[in-house]
Amino acid sequence: MKLNQFARITADPATQYRELAAIGLPADPAADFFATIQATYAKLFPVASSPQAIADAQAAIAVDDYDTLATWLQTPQHTMTRREFYNIGLQLLGFEAFTDFQLTAPLTFMAQTKLPVVDRDLIHTADFLQAIYLLLTTRTKHLVTLLDDLANRGFFKDYHDGYLFFNGKSQNVFDARQLVRECVWIESDLDTDGDGQRDMLEATIFRPKETDAGIKMPALFTANPYFHGTNDVDAVTHDPDPKLAVKTESHTKADVTYHPAPQPDLPHRTATGEGKAEVYADENGIYSLNDYFLGRGFVTVYSAGVGTRGSDGVRSTGGVSETASAVAVIEWLTGARRAFTTRTGTTETKAWWCNGKVAMTGKSYLGTLAIAAATSGVAGLKTVISEAAISSWYDYYRENGLVVAPGGYQGEDADVLAVDTFSRQKAAGDMLKLRGKWSQTLDAIGQAQDRTTGDYNAWWDERNYRNNLKNIRCDVVSVHGLNDWNVKPANVIRFWNGLRDLPIQKKLFLHQGQHVYLNNVLSLDFTDMMNLWLSYELLGVDNDAPAQLPNVTVQDNVEPETWHTYADFGHSAHAHKTRQYDLLGDFTGERASFADNATGTFKARHQTSDLFEAEIIKPASLYRDARLWLTQAPASDTRVLEGVPHVHLRLWIDAPTGILSVRLVDLGPAKRFGTVADVIDGAGYQLGYDYKTDKIVEFKPAAETASKLITFGHVNLQNPKNAYEIQQITPGEAFTVDFDLQPTHYVLPAERQLALVIHGADMAQTQRPTAVVNYHIDRASSSISLPFRVNENG
């Protein structure tokens, strides 16, 4: 086990003593040494409420092979060895003596686990106080720090003096069990359902009851289109097209550029008075990171946006109306927009409990709308924490002139997601007046998304948030899985590259998972890092969070529980280089031609998308005749791929159009990480005192495999340069294509090989043409450029 920790601040002794005193622990370095020890250990068992209960708890702790803490404290001590201190400390951190560590070697275990230790035995009171401060800020076996763990067991249950900060972070002193739950309706500038009235947007609020006593708190806002339920989409899910269209019309950049339509001048609702919310919020929050912060003095707000149950309007799948919906909520939270106590009433209500500072959080569609709102430049949005987020919807549903599927969801498209999230239809009364408008809207999405050509157009350009990065004024935290084939890594890396020169703070986290959250992964203190970040961003704590937290944090794919930190990702100015490899000289393979008959094999074998993805990268595969299999010689040393591989191919085919797919594979028997984290403790991550819990997970090496996908890419051969210009293909005549594979950070150990798989249609991701196309690759004129990290700093 390695408990990496990046959020712990090294405070000076005076600050440590002051903060120890603030939480009710002894803090006088001039006080008696043993009396200070006795008083401290009496307070570190918050579940014990009597002297006898405390003594019993101390008796369960071993100091060495002979004494318990209870017996050790019965004899005045003039020194305390590091071994004694950390034998006690490890048990307080949740580790078990004789099982997790040996009482004769606690320091060895702490070094292995990456837990911090003081560098000398404890002789003076100051030594002990500084050791206790360090221990309180150290991570436990249960993911959180010791002080958080104590708070979860009632350490702060009698604290009633507002915010409390320790080691630069807000502490769990508010009662998350006693929340005010309420709904309000925010007046937007939209009329997406065409009724001549401003769309009203429902927002659900969970705020600590202390706000009623006048404490103003910041808001964590999650724009969640799924919040009020989803719909059955089987009837509208598309079958992968069995025919690839021959394109005849090319476009220019001007052709595919989005131009906003003028907005109607809509009447405002008349307000006849002002009051507090009148509707109880009966749905629960959905994100444990948000729940964690309730006890630390942050209000959480959820809003599903236009076209969802309780709100007006219709869905647009990432369009400007959904950005405007999220922005409207932020503007209300900061006092710049009106809201009402009911959906149709005239009583106005204000976010009087908000301090005017907002952060947005969420994964997938939720994180996507956080990016969208950030690109509006809205005032009051101080930071976003976006996980597995889409930065361009074209990169989600299309790729290089191809219709592609998000990993695991063949046949999904923008219209399917619109139906899925149109929870307004769950309110039958709402739908009586809306069916015609919704049908027209859905037809328009279906036509605009263009499943025929797969090309980029103005509709997709509207949904490309990277067009507006220059508007971003807030700081950004981006989190993404390096094995996320749903929202693929290109979405986050292209976004990161666009942020590089902006005068904002930005942080990037890349993990080994798929489409998952990061806050409950045991080996990283992500929750504590975000507490440091949000305390800085929303509560004004001078904790130097931008400098304390690494710019880029990447999980290793070979060494378990290991995280690397870098100044940047895949950038030439930061320990990075690119090397070009010829497909004839640097790769070996028996052939240069193949026939793409993958669809026939796929149907004959009744395969699933998952089975296809596993099969296509096997050295001996059912698809061996439908691909080229090229390999490099095993490397003599470990290499670290980092960045965006680029493919240049010269080829000819015997058809006027075709799909080309390229996969880069790690080849060689090894126990590689699974892309789904293992559950370590089903309810071990406690989010507050007597409050909710979440599971603790960790990525671990799984069963041995012969190969693993590193990255891949696809291209419509009629789109050799970009997604809107096309070329006409003459069967039998050679042409070239250039395209990127998905970004990666991948450690390739010595003696393992890189394999390059070149094939046609991808049964998991692309259309599934039934026509067999023959491909010939001019390997002597083809290459792949691979990016590497050099001088890795660990």
Side-chain angles (χ1 to χ4, degrees):
M1 179 186 296
K2 297 177 186 175
L3 298 178
N4 300 280
Q5 191 166 7
F6 299 102
R8 184 181 61 251
I9 295 173
T10 302
D12 61 78
T15 299
Q16 295 182 37
Y17 305 149
R18 184 173 65 252
E19 292 185 355
L20 287 170
I23 65 172
L25 289 181
D28 183 1
D32 179 77
F33 178 76
F34 186 59
T36 299
I37 291 177
Q38 287 180 307
T40 299
Y41 284 128
K43 289 179 175 289
L44 296 186
F45 301 94
V47 297
S49 57
S50 69
Q52 186 58 55
I54 292 171
D56 289 346
Q58 292 174 343
I61 301 289
V63 177
D64 51 34
D65 285 328
Y66 307 99
D67 277 318
T68 69
L69 179 57
T71 58
W72 190 85
L73 289 172
Q74 290 174 2
T75 303
Q77 306 289 335
H78 302 292
T79 63
M80 189 177 197
T81 67
R82 290 201 300 165
R83 178 188 294 182
E84 292 169 333
F85 181 84
Y86 285 113
N87 274 334
I88 299 167
L90 281 171
Q91 292 166 83
L92 291 174
L93 293 172
F95 297 98
E96 298 178 13
F98 313 122
T99 302
D100 293 322
F101 72 99
Q102 300 303 313
L103 292 172
T104 55
L107 297 175
T108 299
F109 176 79
M110 295 194 76
Q112 294 169 345
T113 314
K114 301 194 71 171
L115 299 176
V117 297
V118 296
D119 59 2
R120 60 186 181 277
D121 290 340
L122 313 181
I123 300 173
H124 306 292
T125 301
D127 299 333
F128 178 77
L129 293 178
Q130 291 172 38
I132 282 292
Y133 184 93
L134 181 61
L135 187 67
L136 289 169
T137 63
T138 297
R139 301 187 63 204
T140 70
K141 192 176 183 178
H142 309 296
L143 194 145
V144 298
T145 66
L146 176 57
L147 185 55
D148 276 345
D149 188 61
L150 293 172
N152 290 337
R153 291 184 283 131
F155 188 83
F156 291 124
K157 66 180 184 298
D158 297 321
Y159 183 91
H160 303 293
D161 294 327
Y163 284 97
L164 177 66
F165 301 99
F166 194 92
N167 201 238
K169 295 170 279 285
S170 185
Q171 297 304 303
N172 185 14
V173 298
F174 300 100
D175 194 346
R177 301 169 301 173
Q178 300 186 51
L179 298 175
V180 179
R181 304 165 60 111
E182 57 197 11
C183 296
V184 302
W185 279 263
I186 297 163
E187 183 184 61
S188 76
D189 296 332
L190 306 166
D191 180 20
T192 60
D193 51 19
D195 64 358
Q197 303 296 317
R198 291 173 181 261
D199 292 340
M200 301 300 292
L201 308 172
E202 185 270 348
T204 293
I205 300 154
F206 305 104
R207 55 182 176 87
K209 67 179 180 59
E210 289 86 351
T211 51
D212 281 338
I215 296 179
K216 290 187 179 294
M217 297 183 177
L220 302 185
F221 167 40
T222 302
N224 178 12
Y226 308 111
F227 188 63
H228 294 304
T230 57
N231 301 309
D232 182 6
V233 296
D234 288 345
V236 293
T237 299
H238 303 273
D239 290 327
D241 200 317
K243 184 178 181 181
L244 186 65
V246 178
K247 305 179 192 183
T248 58
E249 186 176 2
S250 191
H251 299 280
T252 67
K253 181 64 174 175
D255 293 337
V256 301
T257 300
Y258 167 69
H259 298 286
Q263 295 298 307
D265 186 14
L266 301 167
H268 286 281
R269 178 174 297 183
T270 300
T272 58
E274 185 176 317
K276 293 187 177 181
E278 301 174 15
V279 177
Y280 175 78
D282 61 352
E283 294 189 52
N284 292 320
I286 51 83
Y287 184 18
S288 60
L289 185 71
N290 286 355
D291 291 334
Y292 170 91
F293 279 103
L294 284 166
R296 288 156 178 79
F298 296 78
V299 176
T300 63
V301 179
Y302 294 89
S303 183
V306 289
T308 59
R309 188 169 188 170
S311 294
D312 299 331
V314 294
R315 302 298 297 157
S316 68
T317 307
V320 293
S321 63
E322 294 180 10
T323 302
S325 293
V327 168
V329 176
I330 296 167
E331 289 176 333
W332 174 69
L333 290 168
T334 59
R337 183 172 290 274
R338 300 191 309 167
F340 293 84
T341 59
T342 58
R343 185 174 179 180
T344 59
T346 59
T347 302
E348 187 178 350
T349 188
K350 299 183 183 299
W352 47 269
W353 39 263
C354 185
N355 72 354
K357 297 181 179 180
V358 181
M360 289 189 73
T361 64
K363 173 176 73 73
S364 195
Y365 207 157
L366 291 60
T368 300
L369 293 176
I371 287 177
T375 62
S376 75
V378 59
L381 180 61
K382 299 302 182 182
T383 188
V384 300
I385 303 171
S386 63
E387 304 191 52
I390 297 165
S391 60
S392 169
W393 284 86
Y394 186 88
D395 293 344
Y396 185 61
Y397 285 125
R398 304 288 184 269
E399 184 179 358
N400 296 321
L402 282 175
V403 175
V404 296
Y409 297 94
Q410 254 292 19
E412 190 192 304
D413 213 326
D415 56 347
V416 179
L417 188 57
V419 171
D420 189 34
T421 58
F422 185 56
S423 57
R424 191 176 175 187
Q425 75 178 38
K426 293 180 178 294
D430 245 1
M431 283 301 293
L432 292 177
K433 58 186 178 182
L434 197 63
R435 284 176 290 187
K437 176 62 177 179
W438 175 235
S439 179
Q440 294 172 8
T441 300
L442 198 57
D443 287 345
I445 293 174
Q447 181 176 354
Q449 69 188 8
D450 182 14
R451 286 185 66 83
T452 301
T453 72
D455 282 350
Y456 192 83
N457 58 29
W459 191 85
W460 292 110
D461 198 51
E462 176 188 344
R463 290 155 176 79
N464 185 351
Y465 308 125
R466 299 196 296 266
N467 290 336
N468 301 308
L469 296 184
K470 64 181 183 300
N471 297 331
I472 294 179
R473 301 292 181 267
C474 65
D475 295 336
V476 173
V477 175
S478 294
V479 180
H480 217 96
L482 289 163
N483 292 284
D484 189 347
W485 308 132
N486 184 316
V487 179
K488 300 178 184 71
N491 271 284
V492 72
I493 298 305
R494 290 170 183 170
F495 180 62
W496 173 260
N497 290 339
L499 297 179
R500 182 172 285 112
D501 296 329
L502 294 183
I504 61 171
Q505 298 294 334
K506 47 268 186 186
K507 306 295 178 184
L508 175 64
F509 294 83
L510 299 172
H511 58 78
Q512 290 300 322
Q514 296 175 326
H515 199 60
V516 296
Y517 284 115
L518 185 57
N519 63 301
N520 59 339
V521 174
L522 181 60
S523 61
L524 185 69
D525 62 331
F526 183 78
T527 296
D528 212 34
M529 294 169 85
M530 293 304 98
N531 193 352
L532 190 79
W533 184 258
L534 292 174
S535 294
Y536 169 84
E537 296 281 356
L538 303 186
L539 294 171
V541 178
D542 186 13
N543 58 23
D544 205 19
Q548 176 72 24
L549 301 183
N551 287 346
V552 179
T553 306
V554 185
Q555 186 180 20
D556 195 278
N557 60 285
V558 175
E559 293 294 330
E561 303 159 350
T562 299
W563 296 80
H564 303 284
T565 61
Y566 305 123
D568 204 344
F569 177 90
H571 192 257
S572 59
H574 296 281
H576 185 270
K577 66 178 181 181
T578 298
R579 180 179 172 185
Q580 180 175 301
Y581 295 91
D582 295 331
L583 298 195
L584 186 61
D586 297 314
F587 282 83
T588 60
E590 295 179 357
R591 295 180 294 149
S593 300
F594 65 92
D596 181 15
N597 59 0
T599 301
T601 303
F602 181 83
K603 291 183 176 181
R605 297 288 182 148
H606 303 289
Q607 297 239 8
T608 65
S609 293
D610 287 346
L611 288 174
F612 172 83
E613 289 180 320
E615 187 69 24
I616 193 68
I617 64 169
K618 289 180 179 178
S621 169
L622 294 172
Y623 297 97
R624 57 186 174 274
D625 295 330
R627 70 180 189 189
L628 294 188
W629 178 268
L630 309 175
T631 60
Q632 280 189 343
S636 59
D637 55 3
T638 295
R639 294 178 289 173
V640 181
L641 287 164
E642 183 189 278
V644 184
H646 181 81
V647 174
H648 171 82
L649 297 177
R650 185 160 181 81
L651 71 157
W652 61 260
I653 60 176
D654 63 352
T657 190
I659 296 171
L660 191 74
S661 304
V662 173
R663 281 172 154 79
L664 190 64
V665 177
D666 168 11
L667 182 62
K671 289 186 176 181
R672 299 173 173 88
F673 281 23
T675 55
V676 177
D678 293 345
V679 175
I680 304 299
D681 189 332
Y685 175 22
Q686 195 164 338
L687 305 176
Y689 173 51
D690 195 23
Y691 189 52
K692 296 180 182 179
T693 62
D694 195 2
K695 60 188 176 183
I696 298 175
V697 301
E698 187 57 68
F699 297 101
K700 294 183 175 182
E704 183 176 286
T705 58
S707 57
K708 183 186 186 303
L709 176 68
I710 298 174
T711 182
F712 61 11
H714 312 89
V715 66
N716 188 316
L717 292 176
Q718 288 195 262
N719 293 80
K721 296 179 180 179
N722 56 51
Y724 51 86
E725 294 179 275
I726 68 166
Q727 68 177 353
Q728 299 298 327
I729 296 175
T730 301
E733 290 189 6
F735 58 92
T736 59
V737 292
D738 284 86
F739 61 102
D740 291 336
L741 306 186
Q742 290 295 318
T744 190
H745 181 287
Y746 197 90
V747 176
L748 190 73
E751 302 307 318
R752 296 245 282 271
Q753 290 177 272
L754 283 177
L756 193 64
V757 182
I758 303 174
H759 62 104
D762 183 335
M763 300 295 104
Q765 297 267 341
T766 70
Q767 294 159 258
R768 297 171 179 169
T770 54
V772 176
V773 178
N774 290 284
Y775 291 72
H776 180 84
I777 310 298
D778 181 357
R779 288 172 53 194
S781 302
S782 300
S783 63
I784 182 169
S785 297
L786 297 179
F788 293 96
R789 171 162 285 279
V790 294
N791 299 323
E792 188 179 22
N793 68 3

